[in-house]
C-alpha cells in the first residue's frame, strides 16, 4: 500500500516546489498530487471544515515552530529536528480499547481517508498561522481500535529519544510531552491526526510522522510525534498543566475573553506578516464556535480555562 505517511521522500527535496504552491494549487492539489504519484488513493476533496483564509507560507510554517524536545527557540526545531528517525514508527494503543497493541503506523492508518484541512492555528503565546494540513480524523482511528464503555478521555505521548532530541536533556518540561482530550473532543470531526502539510509528508519540526491538530484549542494541545494513545477513565496529566496549572488549563480552548495571567489573549499576530504587521482580534474557539461551543454547554469557561 502506498499511503502518504509511508513515503520516504525528504521534505527538503521538495521545498522549492512547495514555495511556489499557491492557494489555487492547494485546492487543485488532489489532482496534482495524484498525477505526481505522490499520495496514492487517499487524496482528498476540499473539506467543508476548511477555512478560506490564505494559508501561511510553507517556509514560515516550517521555520517558526514550537517543539521543545529540540530546543525552546523558534528556529531550534527546524535546525535540529532533521536528525529525528521517523521510520519505522510504532504507536502503542492501550487502556480502555478492544484492540490494544503496538501498531506500525502504516497499519494503524491503512485504508483510512486522508483529508486536506486548512485550519486556523493559534498558539497560547498569541501568534497564529493558517495551515493546510493533511490528516485523518482521530475518530476514524479510535473506531478502528475500539473504544470501550467507561473511556472518557484520550491521552497522548510524544516520543522521548534524548540521543535525537537535544532539548530533552534539560528539564524544561516533565518529558515525555503529554497531552489529552475529553473523548467527545477527540471524536469531533475537526480533530485530526495530521500526517502532512501542503500535501507533503509532515516535516520533522512540525511533528513527523504524526501529530494531533485540535484547531479550536491553543497550539500546545496539538501534540507532536505521537508514540502512544491511551483511553482512560480519568482526566490524564498533561505537560503544560503539570508545569504551571495556573497558566495552562486542561481545556485550553482559545478564548479572547480569558487572558493568560501574563498577557492578553484578545488579539494575535499572524506569522509571516513581517515585523510591523497588524494584530487581529482573536476569535472565540479560534473561529470554530459554531462547530464546538455545544461541547461546553453549561461549563464555566473562565473556571475551566
Ligand atoms: N511534543 C511536542 N508537541 C508540541 C510542542 C512541543 O514542544 N512538543 N509544542 C506545542 C506548541 S506550544 C505549539 S504552538 C505547536 C506548534 O506547532 P507548529 O510548530 O507545527 O506550528 O505544537 C505543540 N506541540
Ligand atoms: Mo504554543
Amino acid at each position: 500500500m502506498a499511503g502518504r505517511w509511508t513515503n520516504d521522500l525528504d521534505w527538503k527535496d521538495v521545498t522549492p516546489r512547495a514555495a511556489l504552491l499557491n492557494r489555487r494549487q492547494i485546492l487543485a492539489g488532489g489532482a496534482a498530487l495524484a498525477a505526481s504519484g505522490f499520495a496514492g488513493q487517499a487524496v482528498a476533496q476540499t473539506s467543508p471544515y476548511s477555512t478560506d483564509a490564505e494559508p501561511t507560507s510553507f517556509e514560515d510554517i516550517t521555520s517558526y515552530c514550537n517543539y521543545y524536545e529540540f530546543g525552546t527557540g523558534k528556529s531550534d526545531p527546524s535546525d535540529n529536528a532533521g536528525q529525528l528517525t521517523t521510520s519505522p514508527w510504532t504507536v502503542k494503543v492501550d487502556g480502555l480499547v478492544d484492540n490494544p497493541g503496538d501498531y506500525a503506523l502504516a497499519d494503524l492508518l491503512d485504508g483510512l481517508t486522508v483529508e486536506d484541512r486548512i485550519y486556523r492555528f493559534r498558539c497560547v503565546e498569541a501568534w497564529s498561522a493558517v495551515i493546510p494540513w493533511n490528516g485523518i480524523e482521530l475518530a476514524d482511528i479510535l473506531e478502528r481500535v475500539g473504544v470501550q464503555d467507561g473511556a472518557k478521555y484520550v491521552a497522548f505521548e510524544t516520543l522521548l529519544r534524548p540521543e535525537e532530541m537535544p532539548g530533552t536533556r534539560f528539564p524544561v518540561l516533565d518529558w515525555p510531552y503529554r497531552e489529552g482530550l475529553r473523548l467527545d473532543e477527540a471524536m469531533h470531526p475537526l480533530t485530526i491526526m495530521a500526517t502532512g502539510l501542503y500535501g507533503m509528508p509532515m516535516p520533522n519540526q512540525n511533528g513527523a510522522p504524526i501529530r494531533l491538530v485540535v484547531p479550536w484549542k491553543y497550539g500546545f494541545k496539538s501534540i507532536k510525534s505521537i508514540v502512544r494513545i491511551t483511553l482512560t477513565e480519568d482526566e490524564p496529566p498533561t505537560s503544560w498543566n503539570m508545569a504551571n496549572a495556573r497558566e495552562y488549563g486542561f481545556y485550553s480552548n482559545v478564548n479572547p475573553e480569558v487572558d493568560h495571567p501574563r498577557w492578553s489573549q484578545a488579539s494575535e499576530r499572524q506569522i509571516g506578516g513581517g515585523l510591523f504587521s497588524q494584530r487581529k482580534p482573536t476569535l472565540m474557539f479560534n473561529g470554530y464556535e459554531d462547530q464546538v461551543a455545544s461541547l461546553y454547554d453549561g461549563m464555566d469557561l473562565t473556571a475551566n480555562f
Side-chain angles (χ1 to χ4, degrees):
M1 53 137 286
R4 185 175 293 170
W5 51 87
T6 59
N7 198 303
D8 58 9
L9 184 63
D10 190 298
W11 68 274
K12 289 188 196 68
D13 300 336
V14 290
T15 300
R17 182 176 152 275
L20 297 173
L21 277 177
N22 62 25
R23 176 166 163 70
R24 183 172 300 133
Q25 287 167 302
I26 298 163
L27 294 176
L33 289 165
S36 72
F38 201 98
Q41 31 76 289
V43 171
Q45 341 51 30
T46 300
S47 166
Y49 296 111
S50 286
T51 171
D52 53 15
E54 188 70 30
T56 303
S57 74
F58 183 87
E59 178 63 25
D60 287 318
I61 292 169
T62 56
S63 60
Y64 189 96
C65 297
N66 274 335
Y67 196 165
Y68 279 18
E69 286 86 337
F70 295 98
T72 56
K74 292 290 181 272
S75 57
D76 288 339
S78 53
D79 288 345
N80 299 329
Q83 62 192 309
L84 182 68
T85 307
T86 59
S87 177
W89 193 269
T90 304
V91 180
K92 177 185 283 299
V93 180
D94 61 356
L96 299 169
V97 290
D98 295 332
N99 308 306
D102 294 316
Y103 289 84
L105 183 59
D107 293 339
L108 186 64
L109 306 184
D110 187 33
L112 301 182
T113 305
V114 180
E115 294 201 25
D116 295 341
R117 297 284 179 91
I118 305 172
Y119 282 166
R120 288 180 290 277
F121 187 91
R122 170 63 157 79
C123 174
V124 73
E125 298 162 341
W127 55 267
S128 67
V130 175
I131 307 185
W133 304 108
N134 316 109
I136 292 160
E137 289 186 7
L138 176 58
D140 289 350
I141 297 173
L142 294 179
E143 270 155 36
R144 163 157 295 175
V145 300
V147 177
Q148 295 184 337
D149 290 348
K152 295 198 187 85
Y153 294 88
V154 188
F156 305 86
E157 272 180 34
T158 294
L159 176 75
L160 175 54
R161 190 184 287 151
E163 321 86 87
E164 293 185 347
M165 296 173 141
T168 63
R169 293 170 206 156
F170 306 94
V172 189
L173 289 170
D174 182 2
W175 316 108
Y177 195 101
R178 273 161 278 182
E179 260 307 334
L181 296 172
R182 225 170 51 190
L183 186 59
D184 58 344
E185 298 175 323
M187 296 297 285
H188 193 281
L190 281 169
T191 302
I192 60 169
M193 294 284 268
T195 54
L197 55 84
Y198 270 103
M200 282 167 278
M202 189 66 75
N204 285 0
Q205 61 267 41
N206 296 99
I210 188 164
R211 59 93 56 89
L212 183 69
V213 177
V214 193
W216 72 93
K217 292 178 178 284
Y218 290 121
F220 68 85
K221 298 294 291 183
S222 292
I223 179 174
K224 295 177 170 181
S225 304
I226 292 167
V227 293
R228 186 175 180 190
I229 302 172
T230 309
L231 278 289
T232 65
E233 186 174 352
D234 299 320
E235 185 182 292
T238 57
S239 290
W240 278 105
N241 182 253
M242 288 188 284
N244 191 334
R246 205 176 70 87
E247 299 192 352
Y248 307 105
F250 176 79
Y251 284 94
S252 287
N253 294 314
V254 175
N255 188 339
E257 287 155 25
V258 178
D259 286 337
H260 186 280
R262 291 183 281 129
W263 57 84
S264 166
Q265 293 293 27
S267 70
E268 64 202 53
R269 174 186 66 86
Q270 198 167 315
I271 63 168
L275 257 185
F276 303 103
S277 71
Q278 265 207 315
R279 299 181 74 86
K280 59 170 198 174
T282 288
L283 303 173
M284 188 64 197
F285 293 111
N286 202 26
Y288 299 96
E289 184 170 15
D290 288 350
Q291 293 98 313
V292 303
S294 63
L295 295 175
Y296 310 103
D297 273 349
M299 251 177 74
D300 177 344
L301 297 178
T302 303
N304 299 285
F305 62 92

